[in-house]
Amino acid sequence: MTVYTQQLGGTSYRFDGLVEVLAKATPRRSGDELAGCAATTDAERAAAQWALADLPLTEFLAQPVVPYETDEVTRLIMDTHDRSAFAPIASCTVGDLRDHLLSIAAGDGISDPAATLRDLAPGLTPEMVAAVAKIMRNQDLIAVARAVRVQSAFRTTIGLPGTLATRLQPNHPTDDPRGIAAAVLDGLLLGCGDAVIGINPATDSPRAATELLALLDDIRTRFDIPAQSCVLAHVTTTIELIAAGAPVDLVFQSVAGTQAANAAFGVDLALLREAEDAGRSLRRGSAGDNVMYFETGQGSALSAGAHLGTGGKPVDQQTLEARAYAVARELRPLLVNTVVGFIGPEYLYDGKQIVRAGLEDHFCGKLLGLPMGVDVCYTNHAEADQDDMDTLLTLLGAAGCAFVIAVPGADDVMLGYQSLSFHDALYARRVLGLRPAPEFAGWLDRLGMLDETGRVRAIPPSASPLRALL
């Protein structure tokens, strides 16, 4: 194990191994304090960041954060690492990588920053990306993420420049089809649903999931909506539904950054690959064939007791979150989002920590090549409010976030947490000059729901072409 030291203000700080220096360099968050791996003072954190900035990137290839022999996520990361894509930055330190990324984003002597960053992605490991995020300011994370272009498609195209898509989340505590239909109508009237119309079911019953899928597919086909639907059941349930002939568009699963954490979710890489093959076999997409939808979130490995890495040391939650993106990008997803404040203040204590984590997750996922979205959210016992969510939404829109999640009134009555409302998405599009996915925008326009500037018209439900949903 390599020992790293750093002198700061007359004090010598020691960090035993890569896992420890990564953890102590992380901006303050309650989850790392709960795990016992956080820096104990701001001075120690600054020293760790300084030591991390001087670390050669090759250290991340020589020292796995989680042992190669016991973790299939580590094996995936190492075995798929593209040495030729890595070659241009092979001599860099973490600090050099930060400067390099910012230079690309600024277009310094580079004709196509997006193509340069796309070509670099296979040469980056999640640990490298997590490390560089730890020494970047918020504006750095935004500037680089904005320069990255990642596209995916099923019935709509996600991630095009100048767009912000939305997941319309019509959850209901009893899966009442009337309540769900009312929420879908609310969202569609406000121009939401172009990323996915996705329901978190109240139960994981295959029968209930089939009924919800049929409901969403009926709405989509009746109104010829260019959108995809998803019932966020466990992946094994969805595989069964595909075999039974249910109208499955997207295959959903929560994933994490260690083999043990994924096992707690009841999945492994082989099962996820099987699920992707099953989803693609239906050939239901019209604009593309990306069929997977993944959700992640900082703290998931810690909550499963699956956060220990090399030497038995706790790995910080942001590094483990970035490792989850290696799992996601292996399966060519349509959508990936971090549910950034959902787990609670034990992991992200307040609005400041939630905002920072949301920007980190978006930056890391997008830089690794994912169509990255964010559920801008918090739980009611966190030290956060909707003003914090407004701030994060605005920053993510500036950073080129692919999609956000919206629920009626910003209050998910089934999951019991606070997210964004459909009106919030309209605010972001208007203020930042963004539009829905082009296929969905065309549909809204054909229904007369957009004005001459591309804004959603205020149409009473009784006068809407979607009034049959009432």
Side-chain angles (χ1 to χ4, degrees):
M1 180 182 295
T2 304
V3 173
Y4 305 97
T5 59
Q6 183 65 49
Q7 292 285 333
L8 187 65
T11 301
S12 179
Y13 294 90
R14 172 189 168 117
F15 308 103
D16 294 330
L18 187 57
V19 171
E20 185 169 319
V21 75
L22 283 167
K24 291 188 180 296
T26 307
R28 185 180 181 183
R29 61 208 50 190
S30 51
D32 291 338
E33 292 171 346
L34 178 64
C37 63
T40 56
T41 65
D42 289 338
E44 185 183 28
R45 182 174 297 108
Q49 290 172 338
W50 197 330
L52 184 63
D54 288 338
L55 233 68
L57 294 180
T58 51
E59 289 283 291
F60 297 94
L61 301 176
Q63 297 189 61
V65 169
V66 182
Y68 181 95
E69 297 77 14
T70 59
D71 189 274
E72 68 172 0
V73 178
T74 299
R75 292 194 291 274
L76 173 69
I77 292 167
M78 295 298 187
D79 295 349
T80 61
H81 181 246
D82 189 329
R83 295 279 180 164
S84 60
F86 180 65
I89 57 169
S91 62
C92 288
T93 63
V94 174
D96 293 334
L97 177 60
R98 171 187 176 274
D99 294 345
H100 183 60
L101 293 173
L102 289 170
S103 179
I104 295 172
D108 293 345
I110 297 171
S111 59
D112 191 344
T116 302
L117 291 169
R118 182 186 62 243
D119 293 343
L120 179 61
L124 295 170
T125 69
E127 292 86 352
M128 294 176 193
V129 173
V132 76
K134 296 175 192 297
I135 62 167
M136 297 174 83
R137 292 174 57 184
N138 287 359
Q139 65 173 254
D140 300 339
L141 299 174
I142 293 167
V144 174
R146 184 177 180 85
V148 181
R149 296 281 182 266
V150 181
Q151 292 177 212
S152 59
F154 189 76
R155 292 194 187 97
T156 58
T157 304
I158 306 299
L160 289 170
T163 66
L164 176 65
T166 55
R167 171 182 161 189
L168 196 171
Q169 184 167 295
N171 293 344
H172 192 278
T174 64
D175 290 339
D176 182 347
R178 294 169 299 175
I180 290 171
V184 171
L185 174 60
D186 188 14
L188 292 174
L189 286 173
L190 291 168
C192 292
D194 47 338
V196 64
I197 303 174
I199 302 173
N200 295 93
T203 73
D204 203 38
S205 158
R207 177 179 176 180
T210 300
E211 292 172 352
L212 293 174
L213 284 167
L215 170 65
L216 294 180
D217 202 53
D218 175 64
I219 292 172
R220 180 186 66 81
T221 55
R222 267 200 292 157
F223 297 100
D224 195 27
I225 306 172
Q228 39 279 336
S229 65
C230 184
V231 173
L232 281 69
H234 191 269
V235 66
T236 53
T237 300
T238 305
I239 291 173
E240 292 177 10
L241 297 178
I242 291 171
V248 173
D249 287 342
L250 303 185
V251 180
F252 168 81
Q253 183 55 48
S254 295
V255 294
T258 68
Q259 180 176 329
N262 284 323
F265 285 137
V267 300
D268 58 20
L269 293 176
L271 179 61
L272 295 175
R273 292 183 180 115
E274 178 188 347
E276 186 197 20
D277 289 343
R280 288 166 63 91
S281 72
L282 298 178
R283 302 182 185 277
R284 289 172 59 86
S286 55
D289 61 357
N290 300 113
V291 300
M292 301 300 288
Y293 176 19
F294 295 115
E295 280 192 337
T296 67
Q298 288 195 27
S300 59
L302 175 58
S303 66
H307 62 294
L308 299 181
T310 300
K313 291 179 176 292
V315 183
D316 70 273
Q317 63 185 40
Q318 189 249 336
T319 297
L320 291 177
E321 170 71 5
R323 283 170 54 92
Y325 305 149
V327 176
R329 72 173 174 179
E330 174 73 4
L331 282 302
R332 299 166 293 176
L334 176 75
L335 306 168
V336 180
N337 69 259
T338 169
V339 192
V340 68
F342 180 74
I343 302 181
E346 299 84 358
Y347 304 95
L348 295 168
Y349 179 73
D350 56 16
K352 181 179 177 65
Q353 292 186 15
I354 291 171
V355 168
R356 174 67 190 192
L359 294 177
E360 289 170 349
D361 294 352
H362 176 254
F363 162 84
C364 290
K366 202 173 181 188
L367 188 58
L368 288 167
L370 292 174
M372 197 68 194
V374 177
D375 188 356
V376 178
C377 64
Y378 64 100
T379 57
N380 285 317
H381 61 310
E383 293 293 324
D385 57 28
Q386 290 300 140
D387 285 340
D388 297 311
M389 302 305 101
D390 290 345
T391 298
L392 180 53
L393 170 62
T394 306
L395 295 176
L396 288 168
C401 186
F403 72 102
V404 293
I405 292 177
V407 305
D411 183 7
D412 191 307
V413 295
M414 195 278 278
L415 292 176
Y417 78 116
Q418 308 304 306
S419 185
L420 299 176
S421 73
F422 305 131
H423 300 83
D424 294 333
L426 289 184
Y427 145 77
R429 285 172 175 166
R430 179 172 180 176
V431 168
L432 299 171
L434 304 170
R435 293 175 61 86
E439 300 88 349
F440 194 80
W443 174 75
L444 292 171
D445 193 35
R446 290 192 298 274
L447 289 187
M449 293 174 61
L450 297 182
D451 65 17
E452 63 278 0
T453 68
R455 295 176 181 170
V456 175
R457 295 180 185 276
I459 301 175
S462 60
S464 168
L466 302 172
R467 59 187 176 275
L469 277 175
L470 290 172

